[in-house]
Amino acid sequence: MFFKRRPPSPTELSDAELLTRYRQQGVVADLGVLYERHMPTVFAICRKYLRPDEDAQDAVMQLFEKLLDTLRRHEVDNFPAWLHATARNHCLMILRSRQRAGPESGPVVVQFPDAAGVESVGAAHRGDDAEEQELTEARLQALEHALADLPAGQRRCLELFYLEKKCYRDIAQETGFDLGLVKSHLQNGTRNLKRHLDSSSNSSFNTNAAR
């Protein structure tokens, strides 16, 4: 008599195994177990950007719905790091939409995600130290101003690539730029953004030193 071997339950699988099986079979329970493992971290990230807690909770659920499609189409190597960046970018898109809605939505600080190392703020599990929080806010403001000073084409390509996770071809289709120009805007925009931030950092250092 032969017994059919049962497939392992989601709780028995590693993150990588769950990702692979979900991408192949699309079983939502696999993704649910995977997401639940990392949900406390995701909620902590959302709370850094969104208030009240109800908004952060809503963002956590919205992100899961987003992952249902994204993780069927994309292969992810380092899931915890990827999820951290994705959760942060999701919150930033919410903040940007609030900013576009007007001042009645409350004050908004726009943060741009990692662009070849130009941003080191917003790391997970920062403490509540007041001085560190003040420094973070200053960096965020500098980043916002740097992004606003970029030429429109560079700024739009950076937003689509880093915030909305679009590929070169999607960016070209949305902006009307050819692929060569999209790549050029991304390279030049990243370089200009870093240069602007380096200049702002030096100016801030000189101001503080003169006090």
Side-chain angles (χ1 to χ4, degrees):
M1 183 175 183
F2 296 95
F3 295 93
K4 185 176 181 181
R5 184 180 179 182
R6 70 171 181 83
S9 70
T11 57
E12 298 172 336
L13 299 177
S14 67
D15 286 2
E17 290 170 332
L18 283 170
L19 280 171
T20 298
R21 195 164 79 170
Y22 178 70
R23 192 166 58 252
Q24 293 174 346
Q25 302 178 13
V27 178
V28 176
D30 287 343
L31 184 58
V33 169
L34 176 63
Y35 193 62
E36 187 174 359
R37 289 177 184 173
H38 299 274
M39 191 177 293
T41 299
V42 173
F43 181 60
I45 294 169
C46 292
R47 287 193 70 204
K48 290 179 182 292
Y49 296 94
L50 304 173
R51 288 290 188 275
D53 281 357
E54 286 77 6
D55 286 358
Q57 292 168 356
D58 288 343
V60 171
M61 299 311 299
Q62 292 165 6
L63 183 60
F64 178 73
E65 294 175 359
K66 180 178 180 180
L67 297 187
L68 288 171
D69 176 62
T70 302
L71 291 176
R72 287 300 306 276
R73 296 182 291 106
H74 298 289
E75 186 172 354
V76 175
D77 293 326
N78 186 337
F79 182 72
W82 179 87
L83 183 61
H84 179 279
T86 301
R88 180 184 60 189
N89 292 344
H90 180 70
C91 292
L92 294 174
M93 292 301 296
I94 293 174
L95 292 178
R96 290 180 68 80
S97 66
R98 289 179 180 177
Q99 186 183 48
R100 288 192 293 267
E104 64 274 9
S105 299
V108 174
V109 176
V110 177
Q111 176 189 0
F112 203 74
D114 296 338
V118 297
E119 185 216 347
S120 60
V121 297
H125 306 301
R126 286 194 187 277
D128 293 328
D129 182 80
E131 183 176 351
E132 178 63 28
Q133 291 294 335
E134 181 178 353
L135 180 59
T136 297
E137 289 299 316
R139 287 172 176 167
L140 290 173
Q141 292 288 357
L143 197 57
E144 179 182 359
H145 293 316
L147 183 61
D149 285 343
L150 292 179
Q154 294 179 12
R155 181 174 64 251
R156 185 56 181 153
C157 287
L158 287 171
E159 290 175 341
L160 290 171
F161 186 76
Y162 288 106
L163 284 180
E164 301 186 28
K165 296 294 184 181
K166 292 185 180 292
C167 66
Y168 292 160
R169 191 172 302 279
D170 288 342
I171 295 173
Q173 183 175 2
E174 182 157 339
T175 61
F177 301 147
D178 61 48
L179 287 176
L181 185 56
V182 168
K183 295 178 182 179
S184 176
H185 278 331
L186 287 171
Q187 292 171 355
N188 293 333
T190 298
R191 183 170 57 251
N192 290 336
L193 189 62
K194 185 177 187 302
R195 184 184 299 118
H196 194 296
L197 290 174
D198 287 343
S199 176
S200 297
S201 177
N202 292 334
S203 298
S204 176
F205 174 81
N206 292 334
T207 300
N208 292 334
R211 289 178 180 175

